[in-house]
Amino acid sequence: MTPRRPLRLAAFALALSVLADAGLAGNALAGGADRSRTDKSLSGQPLGVVELFTSQGCSSCLPADAFFAELAAKENIVALAYHVDYWDYLGWKDTLSRKENTERQYEYMRAFGSRSVYTPQAVINGRSHVNGARREEVDGALARMETSGEGMRVSINVSRTSDRVIIDAGDAGSGPSDAHVVIVYFDPPQTIKIGKGENTGRSMTYWNAVSGIQTAGMWHGKAQRYELPMSVITKKGGCAVLLQSVGKDGMPGPILGAALIHKP
């Protein structure tokens, strides 16, 4: 579905606690090294990032939401569902929608040079978009980008202590030199019964519904460390770390690295 109304963009980057100097971070953690651990599910290079823009009020989204649940269950995919609000006028207000999610989709629209947004839209690695209900297109884009060097090129490793999450972004080598470290929070799985609109009477379990987006800092092509308070993660279902380049116009660009952080 394609919306009929233009929406305005708003800035939504929020500052997080950043520990920019890796050497200083190492010294700060030395005393608590015995409490630190690396979760194997958080480390390693994922195949790619799938950002699905969807709505409970969109009848075309049901197949995409079902396919997305499969993607969210895969350990090698960072899958994020952004519920948008522009279909609420059809009679059902999406219980998971956020204005910031719609703003992110419109920013991608401008970055891609498109003239409109639609649901279900799947953005792959921040580089291209396909219909989120067409698994062959989503799978094909992920495989194609991996072999062409447009996959996850920078390692993102995550470890934990009792009170913090430590994010280590790797070195780009001869690759890109600037990106934002974006933290995308999401809710635990929720089953919603839709009471009105195009999907009246349907029940759907929604996975990794985005509930907040923040920018933790800048990455300049060299290995760097960042920290998040563990208390922030425990309030959410989890979060994803995206190392995402940004164009001169401020629009989102290719995602260079990613990792998932699940709620402890």
Side-chain angles (χ1 to χ4, degrees), residues 56-227:
Q56 296 169 7
C58 163
S59 59
S60 303
C61 290
L62 294 177
D65 294 328
F67 173 46
F68 179 84
E70 298 178 29
L71 293 174
K74 296 183 177 181
E75 292 187 357
N76 67 335
I77 300 291
V78 175
L80 300 166
Y82 298 81
H83 286 249
V84 297
D85 60 7
Y86 49 75
W87 293 127
D88 290 354
Y89 79 93
L90 293 177
W92 175 256
K93 176 176 172 55
D94 190 312
T95 60
L96 301 172
S97 67
R98 301 178 72 256
K99 182 179 71 173
E100 291 83 357
N101 295 347
T102 303
E103 290 165 357
R104 183 164 175 83
Q105 188 180 27
Y106 268 80
E107 289 190 342
Y108 270 131
M109 178 198 76
R110 297 183 180 186
F112 294 145
S114 303
R115 301 183 63 181
S116 64
V117 295
Y118 65 92
T119 55
Q121 180 188 37
V123 175
I124 314 299
N125 294 350
R127 295 178 180 271
S128 67
H129 63 97
V130 299
N131 187 316
R134 297 176 182 169
R135 67 172 61 227
E136 68 281 0
E137 294 188 9
V138 174
D139 290 342
L142 286 167
R144 186 169 56 254
M145 289 183 191
E146 182 186 33
T147 58
S148 66
E150 297 181 324
M152 303 295 99
R153 302 170 58 183
V154 180
S155 64
I156 302 290
N157 292 307
V158 178
S159 57
R160 295 170 174 165
T161 68
S162 60
D163 62 350
R164 71 193 70 184
V165 173
I166 303 116
I167 302 164
D168 286 301
D171 195 293
S174 59
S177 59
D178 287 296
H180 287 184
V181 180
V182 181
I183 311 298
V184 183
Y185 297 98
F186 55 80
D187 292 330
Q190 300 179 59
T191 300
I192 307 294
K193 185 173 182 179
I194 300 171
K196 296 180 181 179
E198 293 185 344
N199 296 321
T200 301
R202 302 293 296 268
S203 291
M204 196 76 187
T205 300
Y206 294 99
W207 294 78
N208 295 5
V210 171
S211 59
I213 307 171
Q214 296 180 315
T215 300
M218 290 289 296
W219 172 84
H220 299 292
K222 300 297 182 181
Q224 194 163 333
R225 175 167 285 184
Y226 310 84
E227 291 188 351

